[in-house]
Amino acid sequence: MEPLYLSVTALTKYIKRKFDADPYLERVYLTGEISNYRPRPGHQYFSLKDDHAVISAVMYKGRFDKLTFKPKEGMKVMLIGRVNVYESGGTYNIMVEHMEPDGVGALYQAFSELKEKLAREGLFSLPKKELPVFPKRIAIVTSPSGAVIRDIMTTVKRRYPIVQLVLYPTIVQGKDSAANIIKNLQAIEKKGDFDVVIVARGGGSIEDLWSFNEETVVRQIAAMSAPVISSVGHETDTTLADFVADVRAATPTAAAELSVPVLSDVIRYIHQIDNRLYQKMRHLQTMQQQRLNRAMQSYIFRQPERMYEGYAIKADQVQQRLANQMQQQIHLRFNELQRLQLRLENRNPARDVLFAGNRRQQITGELQRAMDRYLKQKKMRMTTAMQSLDLLSPLKIMSRGYTYTTKDGNVIASVKELRSGDKLKVNFSDGYADAEVKQVVEENNDGRKESKF
């Protein structure tokens, strides 16, 4: 029996079916070191190795974007995935569904990376808002049960009982805690009438406090309008909420003490201020009374007419100066008027008008005589021209027996313009006669005649 040879494709498909059907390869938990990793904008491709073996790994973009840390070359990680055969290349790899840093340091790694990212953005270096000295309303974001809220309420009641405390019951641990914290902070921001916000919870592990390390929670605290006091965990615990809050308190009791003054101290301080104000007002009243007494003894009140004596004398002096100046101005204007009248008499236009009338009559006579002479000269020239024109007139010549001939309205100046049979018009001084050309005879320069018919 001859052996049955398989194609490479058939063998690869067989192996892939084996991999896909094996329940142990459907969900594999691996630990190892990242190798050959280069960040890409889409899916991520890298290798996972240990001291003796290496396997290719693929992580799709949607799952990679959910990671709380940034993978790096050489980092030890723990991952969950399924083993898959890549038929075209004849290789196998692991399709990564979840990945986290190896060991307990996973959360600390994510904490450090997020802290570094927010610090680069300047979120921790934003200007801190000052706590009001005498708050009226304080919002508290914490669990409604436990020692935290009791410590805060007890401390505030003892120190400053007139302030109003408003509790926003909050889930401070677990899967839904971050969303609940953000929801309550947004409700406080929308309300907008709180002077201070306290975010608090008791101590615990880093996993228990992790809600206050979530990026969304940290950004919401930074966006609050009212100053925020962070009191998360014990004194040695530190969360990212502590870095972004306006004030960090070691304990909930410390947060309550920071948020309100001591009422008895405030009342004592008010009494001191009131006493100083009273003494100041008494001293001011005494000073003003003394000033009033001195003013009443002044000559202004005893002899009030002395106030305006100087002004009356000054008014008389000003009135006298004004009268003198007016008199001077009238005298100057009168002299100027006389000068103007004299100039006007010297420039009386009546004489100019009389002289101009005589001059006009003289010029008119001269003009008339000049016109007569001019017209006489022109008349003589015209008579002479008419006589010369009459001597040269064609009518004058024609009266002596001369005529002129036209053909078709045009004057005939040469026999060259005529042809036998042409109709002519012979013009006399007293009329015309129609004629017809019978023969044309042209004389040459040498005297010979040449007939043309």
Side-chain angles (χ1 to χ4, degrees), residues 19-89:
F19 273 66
D20 292 342
D22 192 334
Y24 294 103
L25 301 180
E26 184 177 358
R27 191 170 182 82
V28 178
Y29 296 80
L30 285 182
T31 180
E33 182 180 305
I34 293 178
S35 177
N36 297 325
Y37 174 71
R38 294 191 306 277
R40 293 175 172 82
H43 307 319
Q44 304 299 315
Y45 301 89
F46 55 94
S47 300
L48 193 69
K49 69 177 183 178
D50 55 20
D51 295 338
H52 304 289
V54 62
I55 185 175
S56 298
V58 180
M59 192 170 192
Y60 291 143
K61 184 178 186 302
R63 296 185 181 275
F64 183 79
D65 291 342
K66 295 180 180 179
L67 295 181
T68 58
F69 71 101
K70 290 184 178 180
K72 297 180 181 178
E73 183 74 16
M75 178 185 290
K76 289 199 64 176
V77 294
M78 298 182 299
L79 57 82
I80 303 173
R82 60 182 178 85
V83 178
N84 178 55
V85 174
Y86 182 60
E87 297 182 48
S88 299

Side-chain angles (χ1 to χ4, degrees), residues 23 42 90 133 199 224 276-277 295 309 339 350 357 372 401:
V133 179
V199 179
M224 299 296 290
R276 288 202 296 269
L277 181 61
E309 284 179 353
R339 290 194 300 271
D372 291 341

Side-chain angles (χ1 to χ4, degrees), residues 131-162:
L131 298 176
V133 179
F134 305 111
K136 297 179 181 178
R137 302 188 72 207
I138 299 176
I140 304 174
V141 178
T142 190
S143 173
S145 60
V148 172
I149 186 61
R150 290 197 301 272
D151 290 345
I152 293 175
M153 293 177 63
T154 301
T155 303
V156 171
K157 184 177 181 181
R158 171 174 52 83
R159 290 170 59 91
Y160 198 66
I162 62 174

Side-chain angles (χ1 to χ4, degrees), residues 171-186:
I171 302 172
V172 294
Q173 180 178 337
K175 181 178 65 174
D176 300 327
S177 58
N180 192 238
I181 294 170
I182 294 172
K183 176 184 176 183
N184 287 338
L185 289 174
Q186 290 176 345

Side-chain angles (χ1 to χ4, degrees), residues 280-296:
K280 184 69 176 178
M281 290 299 296
R282 285 292 304 272
H283 177 70
L284 183 61
Q285 182 182 8
T286 302
M287 296 294 293
Q288 294 298 328
Q289 184 64 47
Q290 293 175 358
R291 184 180 177 186
L292 176 62
N293 293 337
R294 289 194 300 270
M296 293 299 293

Side-chain angles (χ1 to χ4, degrees), residues 91-336:
T91 59
Y92 76 99
N93 54 26
I94 183 165
M95 308 296 293
V96 182
E97 298 175 358
H98 176 74
M99 183 168 61
E100 61 184 33
D102 191 7
V104 181
L107 292 179
Y108 289 103
Q109 177 74 19
F111 175 88
S112 299
E113 291 182 355
L114 182 57
K115 179 182 176 183
E116 182 180 351
K117 172 186 174 182
L118 298 179
R120 284 196 306 269
E121 293 182 13
L123 204 66
F124 300 147
S125 58
L126 294 174
K128 302 299 183 181
K129 297 180 283 292
E130 294 185 2
L131 298 176
V133 179
F134 305 111
K136 297 179 181 178
R137 302 188 72 207
I138 299 176
I140 304 174
V141 178
T142 190
S143 173
S145 60
V148 172
I149 186 61
R150 290 197 301 272
D151 290 345
I152 293 175
M153 293 177 63
T154 301
T155 303
V156 171
K157 184 177 181 181
R158 171 174 52 83
R159 290 170 59 91
Y160 198 66
I162 62 174
V163 72
Q164 181 184 2
L165 298 179
V166 180
L167 173 64
Y168 282 80
T170 307
I171 302 172
V172 294
Q173 180 178 337
K175 181 178 65 174
D176 300 327
S177 58
N180 192 238
I181 294 170
I182 294 172
K183 176 184 176 183
N184 287 338
L185 289 174
Q186 290 176 345
I188 294 170
E189 182 70 13
K190 184 177 181 181
K191 189 75 174 173
D193 59 351
F194 290 101
D195 302 305
V196 181
V197 179
I198 298 177
V199 179
R201 70 146 286 156
S205 64
I206 187 172
E207 292 86 354
D208 297 336
L209 304 179
W210 190 253
S211 301
F212 298 92
N213 290 323
E214 292 286 354
E215 182 175 356
T216 52
V217 174
V218 176
R219 292 189 182 278
Q220 182 59 48
I221 292 175
M224 299 296 290
S225 300
V228 179
I229 301 176
S230 173
S231 176
V232 179
H234 297 304
E235 185 173 0
T236 57
D237 296 325
T238 302
T239 64
L240 295 179
D242 297 331
F243 291 102
V244 79
D246 298 290
V247 178
R248 195 252 175 173
T251 62
T253 301
E257 292 175 348
L258 289 171
S259 64
V260 296
V262 179
L263 184 60
S264 59
D265 293 342
V266 173
I267 294 174
R268 183 166 53 254
Y269 177 72
I270 292 174
H271 287 326
Q272 293 174 356
I273 295 296
D274 182 64
N275 185 54
R276 288 202 296 269
L277 181 61
Y278 175 75
Q279 295 298 330
K280 184 69 176 178
M281 290 299 296
R282 285 292 304 272
H283 177 70
L284 183 61
Q285 182 182 8
T286 302
M287 296 294 293
Q288 294 298 328
Q289 184 64 47
Q290 293 175 358
R291 184 180 177 186
L292 176 62
N293 293 337
R294 289 194 300 270
M296 293 299 293
Q297 295 301 319
S298 174
Y299 72 89
I300 295 176
F301 294 101
R302 290 184 289 105
Q303 298 177 344
E305 66 276 2
R306 293 176 58 184
M307 290 182 62
Y308 57 84
E309 284 179 353
Y311 295 104
I313 295 172
K314 187 175 182 180
D316 290 340
Q317 295 173 350
V318 171
Q319 186 177 7
Q320 185 62 39
R321 287 199 301 269
L322 179 61
N324 294 336
Q325 290 178 358
M326 289 296 294
Q327 189 65 31
Q328 292 175 2
Q329 289 294 323
I330 291 173
H331 183 69
L332 291 173
R333 293 292 184 265
F334 180 75
N335 292 337
E336 185 177 357

